[in-house]
Amino acid sequence: NVLVAKGVLADKIKNLDTKISDWSNWDDSYKFIEDANPDFIKSNLADQALVDLKINFIIFINSAGDIVFSKGVDADENHALPIPESLKKYLTKDNTLVKHPDINGDVSGILMLPEGPLLIGSKPILTSAKKGPIHGALIFARYLDSTVIKGLSETAQLPVTIGRFNDPLLPSDLKSIQEVFYKGNEILIKPLNNREIAGYAVLKDIFNNPALILKIETPRGI
């Protein structure tokens, strides 16, 4: 079951990746990154667009590494979100999120911020025919918040908990997976009591570092 929950999260990241493709391989985006046409913003980048895409942030970055447009929205609270400074520090010209080596380059996964973990994806901005030259990068991101975790629980049909891998205040049962990971494993199964068993998995970030611990509980039928 822990593999199921891990797979569901991977599917969410893949779905985010697909959404970016619809926007990054688009003549209108290709032109917008050069002229910052306000009509494009008015027609395509209202708050509702982010709500419909189920993302918190959208960021257009040109080939020089400059942010042409960015927007953040908290759909649950119905208000604007500023782009966190902690995210901006990754949006430099030579960062993997901004600099794509070729037209097939992309980055997607988890990015850890002080504000919370992000599901993030970045693709090169190309024409609708997926041709270059690359005009920059398009980034979509959303917080791995309680809404996402609730969705994981509903899909897996079991309680799911997620904690930061390096959190010094992790409960003792989550700390046990830290020790297992450092011994070369990324999954741990252990009984909690006579009635329940738990599965734990380590989730890595876009830099291949341990980022989160996923825990799922299931009844012990036998």
Side-chain angles (χ1 to χ4, degrees), residues 24 44-45 51-52 55 73 77 84 96 105 125 129 141 144 153 169 193-194 198 215 219:
S24 63
N44 300 288
L45 297 171
V51 174
D52 293 343
I55 60 175
V73 171
E77 300 294 333
T96 185
I125 295 175
L144 181 53
S153 297
L169 301 179
N193 49 50
N194 290 334
K215 173 186 175 183

Side-chain angles (χ1 to χ4, degrees), residues 14 55 79 157 180:
K14 184 177 180 180
I55 60 175
H79 63 72
Q157 297 184 343
V180 169

Side-chain angles (χ1 to χ4, degrees), residues 168-202:
L169 301 179
L170 276 177
S172 58
D173 65 318
L174 293 184
K175 282 184 177 296
S176 60
I177 185 94
Q178 289 178 319
E179 300 169 5
V180 169
F181 175 80
Y182 289 129
K183 293 178 181 178
N185 298 305
E186 295 180 18
I187 291 179
L188 171 68
I189 307 295
K190 62 183 279 188
L192 296 178
N193 49 50
N194 290 334
R195 299 177 305 280
E196 296 173 307
I197 193 167
Y200 306 82
V202 174

Side-chain angles (χ1 to χ4, degrees), residues 127-139:
T127 67
S128 296
K130 201 177 179 182
K131 302 291 185 182
I134 296 171
H135 272 197
L138 178 60
I139 296 171

